[in-house]
Amino acid sequence: MTEVVKEAEALVHSVMGQWDASHDAFHALRVRKLALSLATEERLPTDSMEIVELAALLHDIDDHKYARDGGEGKVVERFLESHGIDPAKRERIMAIINRMGFKDELAGVRNDELPPEFGVVQDADRLDAIGAIGIARCFTFGGNRNRVLHDPEVPARINLSKEEYTKKDGRQTTLNHFHEKLLKLKDLMKTK
């Protein structure tokens, strides 16, 4: 493990260690492990591994759901810069992080211009959002935000635009999130 990766881990623990268990440091560590495994399976070159590892570890540090300074991307960008990450590599890491969100896919943002590492990091994050861990994370997040578990009067919002998905109308339920996002992820995977 390189020194910059150790420092990234420390940043993850420092920042995300204060968050609820749906997006805590262990989430970032699971995503890193999955992303490195996918990168190996996808036969990404050795020089891609540090990009994959750093993007996976740092992908949620500036998450809009938790960011307090209002400056998405600034903490990670400052970290990479202060640790002397080559500008070209830094640009690839930031491109991955800035385009990973489900909301970007809803907006029709094309990902084919992104670095090859993008798919493995995004898929790793999405794999952590489905299955038993994903179910636990969804209920944890909903509980943390005092969301209603289920309300039969609130239908799931289907075929959402980015604006509709990100709109906070106070009527979102935890169970509806499965229909609005989580059940769709398997068909959006980028890797084999």
Side-chain angles (χ1 to χ4, degrees):
M1 184 182 307
T2 65
E3 191 59 37
V4 72
V5 171
K6 287 180 190 175
E7 294 286 332
E9 268 191 15
L11 178 64
V12 164
H13 283 288
S14 170
V15 173
M16 296 174 72
Q18 310 303 311
W19 298 350
D20 67 80
S22 72
H23 289 83
D24 62 2
F26 298 111
H27 163 65
L29 297 175
R30 286 190 306 272
V31 171
R32 184 237 327 244
K33 184 177 180 180
L34 285 165
L36 289 171
S37 177
L38 288 172
T40 300
E41 288 291 318
E42 293 287 312
R43 302 186 193 291
L44 290 186
T46 305
D47 64 339
S48 289
M49 294 306 183
E50 186 178 49
I51 292 168
V52 167
E53 190 164 17
L54 289 172
L57 278 171
L58 301 172
H59 78 279
D60 274 339
I61 291 289
D62 290 302
D63 188 311
H64 67 89
K65 295 182 295 294
Y66 295 92
R68 295 206 170 117
D69 67 0
E72 282 187 58
K74 301 299 182 207
V75 174
V76 173
E77 203 157 347
R78 284 191 301 260
F79 172 85
L80 296 172
E81 205 169 300
S82 71
H83 284 80
I85 300 297
D86 172 73
K89 190 180 277 192
R90 190 168 65 230
E91 188 176 312
R92 288 168 76 170
I93 293 167
M94 292 308 301
I96 294 165
I97 291 171
N98 290 333
R99 300 281 286 282
M100 277 183 58
F102 179 70
K103 65 186 181 301
D104 290 322
E105 209 138 357
L106 289 175
V109 174
R110 295 193 52 188
N111 296 324
D112 54 350
E113 298 168 4
L114 290 167
E117 300 89 359
F118 173 78
V120 300
V121 177
Q122 186 184 57
D123 283 3
D125 188 42
R126 288 176 170 183
L127 286 168
D128 202 56
I130 60 178
I133 292 289
I135 292 168
R137 288 182 62 218
C138 184
F139 287 120
T140 298
F141 184 82
N144 181 267
R145 301 300 164 109
N146 294 315
R147 281 195 180 154
V148 173
L149 177 64
H150 174 65
D151 181 343
E153 299 297 317
V154 179
R157 303 171 303 162
I158 308 298
N159 300 321
L160 297 170
S161 67
K162 177 181 179 177
E163 292 73 27
E164 291 167 330
Y165 179 74
T166 57
K167 182 180 177 188
K168 305 289 184 242
D169 63 7
R171 291 180 42 91
Q172 298 167 328
T173 72
T174 298
L175 285 181
N176 284 353
H177 188 64
F178 285 88
H179 299 284
E180 295 167 357
K181 176 182 177 183
L182 302 180
L183 295 173
K184 297 176 180 181
L185 295 179
K186 69 178 175 48
D187 296 325
L188 298 172
M189 297 292 180
K190 308 291 184 291
T191 59
K192 295 175 190 162

